Amino acid sequence: MIEKKSKITLENVSLLYPITTGYQKSLRNFILKKFFNQRYANEIKFVKSLDNINLTIDDGDRIGLIGNNGSGKTTLLKVLAGIYPVHKGEITISHTPYTLLDISMGLQPEATGIENMYLMSYLRGFKTSEIEKRINWMKDFSGLGDAIDRELRTYSSGMKVRVATAIGLSVEPKIILFDEFFGAGDKEFLIKAKIRIEEILKKSGIFVLASHNEKTVNDYCNRVIELKSGKIISDQRI
């Protein structure tokens, strides 16, 4: 059986993001509306986070998303991940994306390192049998030794990064979405993580990274897309 190649297509994709003010949330404003039938001083406003995005990403593409803060990089990743529904346009994705937008998100401080590995893997959709096959790899990769059985609240920030990274890099998906993932942890562990990332990329179909780090983009990507105010202003092969 021929394996389906990875592909992502976005056609005329736009996303509106609601903006509220402190006044709209204030107690005084609630009272005015509730008891005096007065409208909010300001209606909820929307900004166009993505503006008519047309994009095709093919198997073998290693995309680096660049741009200033607020340009739409992370928003685009979250749209691809299915976290944000679009207001206009269509998205077609060949495989379910594997996302690492915040590697520490969801970690439970009262659970041990090993318990977090089970829990986070389960929440990512893996069955118990699949987790059991990966758990020893995650433990070894983290390099935490006996500390893996301690509660996460006793960990340093670097130890937490090790747990989260071991979980995140334990699989080899077809489509990978990263958001400023690189650069976390101590130097030795960072080198170890980069080697593992390179192994994963060799087997993946599509890789999309949002980053401010030019060197990281040049090291891992073969195509750079620049965004500004939710629009693609440049798309180049490197």
Side-chain angles (χ1 to χ4, degrees):
M1 183 178 178
I2 299 176
E3 189 173 13
K4 181 170 64 173
K5 288 189 175 182
S6 302
K7 186 163 186 170
I8 299 175
T9 304
L10 291 83
E11 299 181 52
N12 304 315
V13 169
S14 294
L15 174 67
L16 299 176
Y17 198 84
I19 301 295
T20 59
T21 65
Y23 181 81
Q24 290 168 316
K25 299 176 181 178
S26 70
L27 176 61
R28 178 175 178 269
N29 209 34
F30 171 78
I31 294 172
L32 288 174
K33 184 178 181 183
K34 181 73 173 178
F35 298 103
F36 298 97
N37 200 29
Q38 294 186 23
R39 293 174 59 84
Y40 283 86
N42 298 300
E43 297 292 341
I44 295 177
K45 297 179 180 179
F46 290 85
V47 295
K48 189 169 281 189
S49 298
L50 295 179
D51 189 0
N52 200 40
I53 299 291
N54 288 280
L55 180 62
T56 298
I57 304 174
D58 292 310
D59 197 278
D61 278 344
R62 307 292 185 248
I63 305 289
L65 299 177
I66 64 172
N68 296 329
N69 290 333
S71 62
K73 302 186 302 298
T74 299
T75 300
L76 179 54
L77 283 183
K78 290 183 176 180
V79 164
L80 294 177
I83 297 172
Y84 288 165
V86 298
H87 291 85
K88 176 188 173 184
E90 294 185 6
I91 301 175
T92 305
I93 302 181
S94 61
H95 299 83
T96 301
Y98 184 78
T99 60
L100 283 173
L101 305 184
D102 181 348
I103 60 172
S104 297
M105 184 172 62
L107 292 177
Q108 300 300 308
E110 299 303 318
T112 66
I114 192 70
E115 288 168 347
N116 269 285
M117 288 177 176
Y118 274 98
L119 175 62
M120 296 306 296
S121 297
Y122 176 76
L123 292 177
R124 285 184 174 275
F126 296 108
K127 299 176 182 178
T128 303
S129 58
E130 294 173 319
I131 300 172
E132 291 290 351
K133 291 178 182 178
R134 296 186 176 96
I135 198 66
N136 286 333
W137 184 94
M138 287 187 272
K139 289 167 60 177
D140 292 341
F141 189 86
S142 73
L144 291 173
D146 294 339
I148 201 72
D149 294 314
R150 282 168 33 198
E151 293 179 350
L152 214 71
R153 60 182 175 80
T154 68
Y155 283 17
S156 66
S157 58
M159 293 169 73
K160 292 175 184 176
V161 166
R162 284 174 173 262
V163 171
T165 304
I167 298 168
L169 299 185
S170 65
V171 296
E172 297 173 345
K174 291 299 180 183
I175 297 177
I176 314 168
L177 310 176
F178 275 9
D179 187 10
E180 294 289 5
F181 175 72
F182 305 96
D186 58 77
K187 184 178 180 180
E188 180 183 350
F189 186 73
L190 180 59
I191 293 172
K192 185 178 181 179
K194 285 186 174 181
I195 292 173
R196 173 57 181 164
I197 290 167
E198 290 169 359
E199 292 174 355
I200 294 173
L201 291 184
K202 289 178 181 177
K203 299 179 181 180
S204 69
I206 288 174
F207 173 66
V208 184
L209 164 71
S211 180
H212 290 285
N213 191 316
E214 184 178 349
K215 184 179 185 306
T216 298
V217 171
N218 289 332
D219 285 347
Y220 290 95
C221 301
N222 57 21
R223 183 179 170 190
V224 178
I225 295 175
E226 184 176 2
L227 290 99
K228 183 177 181 179
S229 301
K231 296 182 178 180
I232 293 176
I233 61 172
S234 176
D235 184 351
Q236 297 181 339
R237 296 278 176 183
I238 59 174

PDB file of all heavy atoms in Angstrom, residues 134-159:
ATOM      1  N   ARG A 134       6.405   3.525  24.625  1.00  0.00           N
ATOM      2  CA  ARG A 134       7.254   4.709  24.575  1.00  0.00           C
ATOM      3  C   ARG A 134       7.779   5.154  25.944  1.00  0.00           C
ATOM      4  O   ARG A 134       8.704   5.961  26.017  1.00  0.00           O
ATOM      5  CB  ARG A 134       6.475   5.881  23.958  1.00  0.00           C
ATOM      6  CG  ARG A 134       6.062   5.683  22.514  1.00  0.00           C
ATOM      7  CD  ARG A 134       5.436   6.965  21.977  1.00  0.00           C
ATOM      8  NE  ARG A 134       5.107   6.841  20.570  1.00  0.00           N
ATOM      9  CZ  ARG A 134       3.898   6.509  20.122  1.00  0.00           C
ATOM     10  NH1 ARG A 134       2.927   6.268  20.973  1.00  0.00           N
ATOM     11  NH2 ARG A 134       3.660   6.417  18.825  1.00  0.00           N
ATOM     12  N   ILE A 135       7.182   4.650  27.013  1.00  0.00           N
ATOM     13  CA  ILE A 135       7.461   5.211  28.333  1.00  0.00           C
ATOM     14  C   ILE A 135       8.928   5.077  28.735  1.00  0.00           C
ATOM     15  O   ILE A 135       9.507   6.010  29.300  1.00  0.00           O
ATOM     16  CB  ILE A 135       6.524   4.589  29.403  1.00  0.00           C
ATOM     17  CG1 ILE A 135       6.507   5.471  30.654  1.00  0.00           C
ATOM     18  CG2 ILE A 135       6.897   3.149  29.706  1.00  0.00           C
ATOM     19  CD1 ILE A 135       5.896   6.827  30.454  1.00  0.00           C
ATOM     20  N   ASN A 136       9.546   3.953  28.453  1.00  0.00           N
ATOM     21  CA  ASN A 136      10.970   3.780  28.812  1.00  0.00           C
ATOM     22  C   ASN A 136      11.844   4.740  28.016  1.00  0.00           C
ATOM     23  O   ASN A 136      12.838   5.266  28.545  1.00  0.00           O
ATOM     24  CB  ASN A 136      11.410   2.337  28.591  1.00  0.00           C
ATOM     25  CG  ASN A 136      10.864   1.398  29.646  1.00  0.00           C
ATOM     26  OD1 ASN A 136      10.586   1.807  30.779  1.00  0.00           O
ATOM     27  ND2 ASN A 136      10.707   0.124  29.294  1.00  0.00           N
ATOM     28  N   TRP A 137      11.480   4.943  26.761  1.00  0.00           N
ATOM     29  CA  TRP A 137      12.233   5.898  25.937  1.00  0.00           C
ATOM     30  C   TRP A 137      12.129   7.291  26.541  1.00  0.00           C
ATOM     31  O   TRP A 137      13.143   8.008  26.651  1.00  0.00           O
ATOM     32  CB  TRP A 137      11.695   5.907  24.512  1.00  0.00           C
ATOM     33  CG  TRP A 137      12.493   6.798  23.592  1.00  0.00           C
ATOM     34  CD1 TRP A 137      13.525   6.426  22.785  1.00  0.00           C
ATOM     35  CD2 TRP A 137      12.340   8.223  23.421  1.00  0.00           C
ATOM     36  NE1 TRP A 137      14.027   7.525  22.119  1.00  0.00           N
ATOM     37  CE2 TRP A 137      13.323   8.635  22.493  1.00  0.00           C
ATOM     38  CE3 TRP A 137      11.483   9.174  23.967  1.00  0.00           C
ATOM     39  CZ2 TRP A 137      13.460   9.965  22.097  1.00  0.00           C
ATOM     40  CZ3 TRP A 137      11.627  10.502  23.580  1.00  0.00           C
ATOM     41  CH2 TRP A 137      12.605  10.894  22.647  1.00  0.00           C
ATOM     42  N   MET A 138      10.930   7.699  26.952  1.00  0.00           N
ATOM     43  CA  MET A 138      10.735   9.024  27.541  1.00  0.00           C
ATOM     44  C   MET A 138      11.534   9.179  28.830  1.00  0.00           C
ATOM     45  O   MET A 138      12.164  10.214  29.068  1.00  0.00           O
ATOM     46  CB  MET A 138       9.242   9.287  27.794  1.00  0.00           C
ATOM     47  CG  MET A 138       8.433   9.552  26.532  1.00  0.00           C
ATOM     48  SD  MET A 138       6.728  10.060  26.887  1.00  0.00           S
ATOM     49  CE  MET A 138       5.910   8.469  26.976  1.00  0.00           C
ATOM     50  N   LYS A 139      11.503   8.149  29.676  1.00  0.00           N
ATOM     51  CA  LYS A 139      12.256   8.194  30.938  1.00  0.00           C
ATOM     52  C   LYS A 139      13.743   8.352  30.665  1.00  0.00           C
ATOM     53  O   LYS A 139      14.411   9.195  31.274  1.00  0.00           O
ATOM     54  CB  LYS A 139      11.987   6.922  31.743  1.00  0.00           C
ATOM     55  CG  LYS A 139      10.587   6.828  32.329  1.00  0.00           C
ATOM     56  CD  LYS A 139      10.275   5.434  32.846  1.00  0.00           C
ATOM     57  CE  LYS A 139      11.218   4.987  33.941  1.00  0.00           C
ATOM     58  NZ  LYS A 139      10.847   3.653  34.471  1.00  0.00           N
ATOM     59  N   ASP A 140      14.264   7.557  29.748  1.00  0.00           N
ATOM     60  CA  ASP A 140      15.694   7.609  29.436  1.00  0.00           C
ATOM     61  C   ASP A 140      16.079   8.947  28.814  1.00  0.00           C
ATOM     62  O   ASP A 140      17.118   9.539  29.146  1.00  0.00           O
ATOM     63  CB  ASP A 140      16.077   6.467  28.495  1.00  0.00           C
ATOM     64  CG  ASP A 140      15.982   5.105  29.160  1.00  0.00           C
ATOM     65  OD1 ASP A 140      15.968   5.053  30.407  1.00  0.00           O
ATOM     66  OD2 ASP A 140      15.901   4.099  28.424  1.00  0.00           O
ATOM     67  N   PHE A 141      15.232   9.433  27.906  1.00  0.00           N
ATOM     68  CA  PHE A 141      15.545  10.678  27.212  1.00  0.00           C
ATOM     69  C   PHE A 141      15.565  11.857  28.181  1.00  0.00           C
ATOM     70  O   PHE A 141      16.384  12.769  28.050  1.00  0.00           O
ATOM     71  CB  PHE A 141      14.531  10.939  26.098  1.00  0.00           C
ATOM     72  CG  PHE A 141      14.900  12.082  25.194  1.00  0.00           C
ATOM     73  CD1 PHE A 141      15.734  11.871  24.106  1.00  0.00           C
ATOM     74  CD2 PHE A 141      14.426  13.366  25.433  1.00  0.00           C
ATOM     75  CE1 PHE A 141      16.099  12.926  23.268  1.00  0.00           C
ATOM     76  CE2 PHE A 141      14.782  14.418  24.605  1.00  0.00           C
ATOM     77  CZ  PHE A 141      15.617  14.204  23.522  1.00  0.00           C
ATOM     78  N   SER A 142      14.667  11.853  29.147  1.00  0.00           N
ATOM     79  CA  SER A 142      14.601  12.959  30.116  1.00  0.00           C
ATOM     80  C   SER A 142      15.872  13.043  30.948  1.00  0.00           C
ATOM     81  O   SER A 142      16.278  14.135  31.383  1.00  0.00           O
ATOM     82  CB  SER A 142      13.394  12.800  31.038  1.00  0.00           C
ATOM     83  OG  SER A 142      13.591  11.750  31.974  1.00  0.00           O
ATOM     84  N   GLY A 143      16.517  11.902  31.191  1.00  0.00           N
ATOM     85  CA  GLY A 143      17.741  11.891  31.981  1.00  0.00           C
ATOM     86  C   GLY A 143      17.550  12.273  33.430  1.00  0.00           C
ATOM     87  O   GLY A 143      18.505  12.688  34.103  1.00  0.00           O
ATOM     88  N   LEU A 144      16.339  12.109  33.965  1.00  0.00           N
ATOM     89  CA  LEU A 144      16.042  12.539  35.332  1.00  0.00           C
ATOM     90  C   LEU A 144      16.317  11.475  36.386  1.00  0.00           C
ATOM     91  O   LEU A 144      16.262  11.757  37.588  1.00  0.00           O
ATOM     92  CB  LEU A 144      14.580  12.998  35.427  1.00  0.00           C
ATOM     93  CG  LEU A 144      14.253  14.289  34.677  1.00  0.00           C
ATOM     94  CD1 LEU A 144      12.755  14.559  34.695  1.00  0.00           C
ATOM     95  CD2 LEU A 144      15.006  15.468  35.275  1.00  0.00           C
ATOM     96  N   GLY A 145      16.581  10.267  35.962  1.00  0.00           N
ATOM     97  CA  GLY A 145      16.868   9.210  36.918  1.00  0.00           C
ATOM     98  C   GLY A 145      15.735   8.985  37.897  1.00  0.00           C
ATOM     99  O   GLY A 145      14.553   8.983  37.526  1.00  0.00           O
ATOM    100  N   ASP A 146      16.086   8.828  39.195  1.00  0.00           N
ATOM    101  CA  ASP A 146      15.073   8.560  40.226  1.00  0.00           C
ATOM    102  C   ASP A 146      14.126   9.735  40.445  1.00  0.00           C
ATOM    103  O   ASP A 146      13.030   9.560  40.991  1.00  0.00           O
ATOM    104  CB  ASP A 146      15.758   8.203  41.552  1.00  0.00           C
ATOM    105  CG  ASP A 146      16.516   6.883  41.478  1.00  0.00           C
ATOM    106  OD1 ASP A 146      16.186   6.075  40.578  1.00  0.00           O
ATOM    107  OD2 ASP A 146      17.426   6.666  42.301  1.00  0.00           O
ATOM    108  N   ALA A 147      14.528  10.934  40.012  1.00  0.00           N
ATOM    109  CA  ALA A 147      13.682  12.122  40.189  1.00  0.00           C
ATOM    110  C   ALA A 147      12.388  12.013  39.392  1.00  0.00           C
ATOM    111  O   ALA A 147      11.436  12.754  39.655  1.00  0.00           O
ATOM    112  CB  ALA A 147      14.437  13.381  39.774  1.00  0.00           C
ATOM    113  N   ILE A 148      12.340  11.093  38.450  1.00  0.00           N
ATOM    114  CA  ILE A 148      11.139  10.917  37.635  1.00  0.00           C
ATOM    115  C   ILE A 148       9.943  10.510  38.488  1.00  0.00           C
ATOM    116  O   ILE A 148       8.788  10.718  38.097  1.00  0.00           O
ATOM    117  CB  ILE A 148      11.394   9.858  36.529  1.00  0.00           C
ATOM    118  CG1 ILE A 148      10.405  10.013  35.370  1.00  0.00           C
ATOM    119  CG2 ILE A 148      11.349   8.454  37.082  1.00  0.00           C
ATOM    120  CD1 ILE A 148      10.654  11.215  34.528  1.00  0.00           C
ATOM    121  N   ASP A 149      10.202   9.977  39.689  1.00  0.00           N
ATOM    122  CA  ASP A 149       9.127   9.541  40.581  1.00  0.00           C
ATOM    123  C   ASP A 149       8.752  10.600  41.626  1.00  0.00           C
ATOM    124  O   ASP A 149       7.922  10.335  42.495  1.00  0.00           O
ATOM    125  CB  ASP A 149       9.528   8.241  41.294  1.00  0.00           C
ATOM    126  CG  ASP A 149       9.661   7.080  40.322  1.00  0.00           C
ATOM    127  OD1 ASP A 149       8.768   6.920  39.471  1.00  0.00           O
ATOM    128  OD2 ASP A 149      10.661   6.343  40.414  1.00  0.00           O
ATOM    129  N   ARG A 150       9.371  11.782  41.513  1.00  0.00           N
ATOM    130  CA  ARG A 150       9.006  12.886  42.403  1.00  0.00           C
ATOM    131  C   ARG A 150       7.923  13.736  41.777  1.00  0.00           C
ATOM    132  O   ARG A 150       7.764  13.773  40.556  1.00  0.00           O
ATOM    133  CB  ARG A 150      10.234  13.750  42.699  1.00  0.00           C
ATOM    134  CG  ARG A 150      11.172  13.161  43.724  1.00  0.00           C
ATOM    135  CD  ARG A 150      12.488  13.896  43.773  1.00  0.00           C
ATOM    136  NE  ARG A 150      12.390  15.322  43.503  1.00  0.00           N
ATOM    137  CZ  ARG A 150      13.433  16.075  43.156  1.00  0.00           C
ATOM    138  NH1 ARG A 150      14.634  15.523  43.027  1.00  0.00           N
ATOM    139  NH2 ARG A 150      13.276  17.365  42.924  1.00  0.00           N
ATOM    140  N   GLU A 151       7.166  14.458  42.634  1.00  0.00           N
ATOM    141  CA  GLU A 151       6.116  15.344  42.129  1.00  0.00           C
ATOM    142  C   GLU A 151       6.740  16.515  41.369  1.00  0.00           C
ATOM    143  O   GLU A 151       7.804  17.024  41.741  1.00  0.00           O
ATOM    144  CB  GLU A 151       5.258  15.852  43.280  1.00  0.00           C
ATOM    145  CG  GLU A 151       4.437  14.763  43.936  1.00  0.00           C
ATOM    146  CD  GLU A 151       3.604  15.282  45.088  1.00  0.00           C
ATOM    147  OE1 GLU A 151       3.802  16.451  45.495  1.00  0.00           O
ATOM    148  OE2 GLU A 151       2.756  14.526  45.592  1.00  0.00           O
ATOM    149  N   LEU A 152       6.059  16.932  40.336  1.00  0.00           N
ATOM    150  CA  LEU A 152       6.587  17.973  39.452  1.00  0.00           C
ATOM    151  C   LEU A 152       6.801  19.299  40.187  1.00  0.00           C
ATOM    152  O   LEU A 152       7.659  20.090  39.802  1.00  0.00           O
ATOM    153  CB  LEU A 152       5.631  18.177  38.266  1.00  0.00           C
ATOM    154  CG  LEU A 152       6.303  18.534  36.947  1.00  0.00           C
ATOM    155  CD1 LEU A 152       7.039  17.342  36.393  1.00  0.00           C
ATOM    156  CD2 LEU A 152       5.281  19.038  35.937  1.00  0.00           C
ATOM    157  N   ARG A 153       6.032  19.547  41.221  1.00  0.00           N
ATOM    158  CA  ARG A 153       6.164  20.809  41.956  1.00  0.00           C
ATOM    159  C   ARG A 153       7.532  20.933  42.631  1.00  0.00           C
ATOM    160  O   ARG A 153       7.938  22.033  43.027  1.00  0.00           O
ATOM    161  CB  ARG A 153       5.054  20.949  42.990  1.00  0.00           C
ATOM    162  CG  ARG A 153       5.021  19.858  44.046  1.00  0.00           C
ATOM    163  CD  ARG A 153       3.856  20.044  45.012  1.00  0.00           C
ATOM    164  NE  ARG A 153       3.751  18.948  45.950  1.00  0.00           N
ATOM    165  CZ  ARG A 153       4.513  18.835  47.044  1.00  0.00           C
ATOM    166  NH1 ARG A 153       5.394  19.770  47.324  1.00  0.00           N
ATOM    167  NH2 ARG A 153       4.374  17.806  47.858  1.00  0.00           N
ATOM    168  N   THR A 154       8.249  19.821  42.780  1.00  0.00           N
ATOM    169  CA  THR A 154       9.580  19.851  43.377  1.00  0.00           C
ATOM    170  C   THR A 154      10.666  20.047  42.326  1.00  0.00           C
ATOM    171  O   THR A 154      11.839  20.153  42.670  1.00  0.00           O
ATOM    172  CB  THR A 154       9.863  18.540  44.145  1.00  0.00           C
ATOM    173  OG1 THR A 154       9.973  17.446  43.211  1.00  0.00           O
ATOM    174  CG2 THR A 154       8.757  18.237  45.141  1.00  0.00           C
ATOM    175  N   TYR A 155      10.293  20.100  41.056  1.00  0.00           N
ATOM    176  CA  TYR A 155      11.261  20.202  39.964  1.00  0.00           C
ATOM    177  C   TYR A 155      11.723  21.643  39.750  1.00  0.00           C
ATOM    178  O   TYR A 155      10.970  22.597  39.969  1.00  0.00           O
ATOM    179  CB  TYR A 155      10.648  19.713  38.649  1.00  0.00           C
ATOM    180  CG  TYR A 155      10.533  18.219  38.487  1.00  0.00           C
ATOM    181  CD1 TYR A 155      10.621  17.347  39.567  1.00  0.00           C
ATOM    182  CD2 TYR A 155      10.320  17.659  37.231  1.00  0.00           C
ATOM    183  CE1 TYR A 155      10.504  15.977  39.397  1.00  0.00           C
ATOM    184  CE2 TYR A 155      10.196  16.289  37.047  1.00  0.00           C
ATOM    185  CZ  TYR A 155      10.292  15.460  38.146  1.00  0.00           C
ATOM    186  OH  TYR A 155      10.175  14.110  37.988  1.00  0.00           O
ATOM    187  N   SER A 156      12.928  21.783  39.248  1.00  0.00           N
ATOM    188  CA  SER A 156      13.385  23.070  38.737  1.00  0.00           C
ATOM    189  C   SER A 156      12.745  23.284  37.367  1.00  0.00           C
ATOM    190  O   SER A 156      12.184  22.350  36.771  1.00  0.00           O
ATOM    191  CB  SER A 156      14.911  23.071  38.601  1.00  0.00           C
ATOM    192  OG  SER A 156      15.316  22.150  37.592  1.00  0.00           O
ATOM    193  N   SER A 157      12.842  24.499  36.841  1.00  0.00           N
ATOM    194  CA  SER A 157      12.259  24.773  35.521  1.00  0.00           C
ATOM    195  C   SER A 157      12.927  23.921  34.451  1.00  0.00           C
ATOM    196  O   SER A 157      12.279  23.444  33.520  1.00  0.00           O
ATOM    197  CB  SER A 157      12.393  26.257  35.181  1.00  0.00           C
ATOM    198  OG  SER A 157      13.754  26.662  35.210  1.00  0.00           O
ATOM    199  N   GLY A 158      14.247  23.687  34.590  1.00  0.00           N
ATOM    200  CA  GLY A 158      14.959  22.865  33.618  1.00  0.00           C
ATOM    201  C   GLY A 158      14.504  21.418  33.629  1.00  0.00           C
ATOM    202  O   GLY A 158      14.428  20.769  32.574  1.00  0.00           O
ATOM    203  N   MET A 159      14.188  20.896  34.812  1.00  0.00           N
ATOM    204  CA  MET A 159      13.703  19.517  34.931  1.00  0.00           C
ATOM    205  C   MET A 159      12.326  19.374  34.292  1.00  0.00           C
ATOM    206  O   MET A 159      12.019  18.361  33.652  1.00  0.00           O
ATOM    207  CB  MET A 159      13.670  19.100  36.396  1.00  0.00           C
ATOM    208  CG  MET A 159      15.054  18.981  37.032  1.00  0.00           C
ATOM    209  SD  MET A 159      14.985  18.810  38.831  1.00  0.00           S
ATOM    210  CE  MET A 159      14.374  17.117  38.991  1.00  0.00           C
TER     211      MET A 159
END
